[in-house]
Amino acid sequence: VFGIWQMADHLVFRSLYLTQTPTPGAGMRLIDIDYPDEAKYEQPLRYREALGSALTQLAALPAPPRTVLIDIWLSSNPAGAEAVIKGIAALRARGAKVYAAVDPKDRHGKNTADFMKSHHEAIYSSVLDGYGHTQLDYGFGVLKYERELVLPMPAGEIRLSALPVRAAIEAERA
């Protein structure tokens, strides 16, 4: 929900800084893998095989990337998980850090601290270097994400960084 000052802030920001379509820097590459319709219905095998293949090909480059962000979340469905695990392992063997998105929403669309129940926990806990959310908000012509989501728990809270923020923090530590 936007207040009057947030509306003004977004409108001023958009008029000052969003005058041209942004382009990635020379050190960044975006790779889009077709997301087949069956993947939307919990049949991720073909998509995960394609993702695993792309990750393996990135690892085989003469100069592999230092960091890879996978901008999808991996459900607990085991189909094709081994291909993704192999691709991530190939990148990590070449020194790359690999992070993936998570979906912190439950089936009702509400953020929840136990979001990992619907994710492939083995990949997130022991294969990746980390994870973060990619929830985007749109308001007054500006697309943005929260640096960190605070997810309440009965005994406290979980702080979930945005995926690019998590990767940047980890890169600074290295």
Side-chain angles (χ1 to χ4, degrees), residues 31-36 39 44 47-52 55 68-75 80 84 88 98-103 119-120 123-124 128 130-134 163:
I31 300 169
D32 184 26
I33 300 170
D34 186 42
Y35 198 73
Y47 178 77
R48 288 182 178 175
E49 287 173 343
L51 175 59
L55 297 172
V68 173
L69 304 180
I70 302 171
D71 190 13
I72 53 114
W73 67 278
L74 302 162
S75 75
V84 175
I88 294 169
V98 183
Y99 304 87
V102 293
D103 182 6
H119 292 67
H120 198 289
I123 291 176
Y124 283 93
L128 292 166
Y131 55 85
H133 79 85
T134 56
L163 182 60

Side-chain angles (χ1 to χ4, degrees), residues 146-166:
E146 296 294 329
R147 272 184 70 83
E148 185 176 73
L149 298 177
V150 178
L151 308 173
M153 296 176 48
E157 63 191 21
I158 290 179
R159 294 184 169 276
L160 181 61
S161 295
L163 182 60
V165 171
R166 174 69 191 265

